[in-house]
Amino acid sequence: MTLEVGSADIIQLAWARHLGLDDDAFTAARSAGTGPSARITRADESERCVQFVRIFGTSALVGPQWVLDAAVGIPDEDLAQHVTLLTITRSHGGHGLGAAALFFADDLPLLQAPQELTVSHGEQEAIQLEGLCPPDDVNEVGLSDLENRFTIMRGDDGNRVPVACGAYAEWEGILAHMGVLVDPVWRRQGLGSLAASVAAHEALASGLTLQWRADVSNKGSLAIARSIGFAAGGIQTSVLLG
């Protein structure tokens, strides 16, 4: 699906605030044109996470001044590569957080379950689901940081067990930052898309614009975002300093 006119501005406003930039930072950069001279930068010597973000064609780099200096002259396409940030920060103990694709939506079609399912809003069900999933998946999704959870439950020998959870956290009162976790036993059956749809429509009903972040190597998460109608909007590349 395509975004409504103005949604890109709303998304960039949320990211400007998230990165500690002026509210109009992305708008001003767009007016300045393309190229390194139009890249938004913010120097913070106390910052331990270096972030490069490119959203709807406009980029921002946040980190210590020496990182900003080292990035001068490097094209955005290269800075978006995780290896580039690792190379720049290697002498300061830079280690990987990876590169993630960013997707957005301001409306989505509602998916219908093939049968009646129970949806839980409880914390314990989400914790139980995390215990059924690989640690790398649990860490990437971060259900514990997404306060609005919608866990799909299924019957198992008379008991209800969690099989998938769609969740979101509110960013800057503007975006619903989403995540989905599915029990490996129940993957490839559409439950991830269904859980995402439930959470997404709850967030839309609250007046939020949707954001989906997926590691560029996570084919399952990328596929869910595309299948339910999210539009590609950019990339976020990050490293931690030692």
Side-chain angles (χ1 to χ4, degrees):
M1 296 183 68
T2 58
L3 295 167
E4 293 288 338
V5 176
S7 290
D9 291 337
I10 292 172
I11 292 164
Q12 289 181 330
L13 169 61
W15 269 95
R17 292 177 177 177
H18 182 71
L19 295 171
L21 306 170
D22 292 337
D23 282 0
D24 63 349
F26 281 94
T27 302
R30 285 204 309 271
S31 300
T34 60
S37 62
R39 182 185 300 153
I40 307 161
T41 59
R42 181 174 72 83
D44 185 345
E45 301 309 315
S46 65
E47 186 65 67
R48 307 311 301 168
C49 178
V50 178
Q51 294 191 73
F52 173 80
V53 179
R54 186 165 179 82
I55 306 175
F56 302 117
T58 306
S59 61
L61 179 63
V62 175
Q65 184 62 50
W66 59 266
V67 173
L68 308 187
D69 294 340
V72 172
I74 299 178
D76 286 349
E77 292 74 13
D78 293 337
L79 278 180
Q81 301 295 318
H82 191 222
V83 66
T84 303
L85 284 188
L86 287 176
T87 301
I88 290 174
T89 60
R90 183 178 295 126
S91 62
H92 290 74
H95 53 286
L97 286 178
L102 300 174
F103 296 83
F104 303 96
D106 50 24
D107 191 19
L108 290 177
L110 179 62
L111 298 185
Q112 298 293 336
Q115 57 184 318
E116 186 175 345
L117 297 174
T118 301
V119 177
S120 169
H121 303 272
E123 181 179 9
Q124 288 304 311
E125 290 81 357
I127 292 174
Q128 184 182 355
L129 177 62
E130 288 184 317
L132 301 172
C133 298
D136 286 348
D137 292 352
V138 172
N139 292 334
E140 181 178 347
V141 175
L143 283 183
S144 59
D145 296 325
L146 307 176
E147 62 268 20
N148 303 284
R149 307 180 188 95
F150 307 88
T151 305
I152 295 176
M153 312 291 291
R154 290 190 68 122
D156 184 15
D157 296 330
N159 297 318
R160 288 287 182 179
V161 296
V163 294
C165 181
Y168 72 89
E170 189 173 309
W171 267 32
E172 308 296 340
I174 297 173
L175 299 183
H177 182 66
M178 296 191 59
V180 170
L181 191 63
V182 183
D183 181 345
V185 174
W186 290 93
R187 292 179 185 178
R188 300 183 182 276
Q189 299 186 45
L191 289 171
S193 296
L194 182 60
S197 179
V198 172
H201 280 272
E202 291 289 340
L204 289 169
S206 297
L208 302 172
T209 299
L210 307 176
Q211 172 175 281
W212 188 286
R213 182 185 185 277
D215 189 280
V216 293
S217 64
N218 190 333
K219 295 181 180 179
S221 184
L222 294 171
I224 291 175
R226 294 177 178 129
S227 70
I228 63 176
F230 276 81
I235 192 167
Q236 177 190 20
T237 309
S238 311
V239 299
L240 283 175
L241 301 179

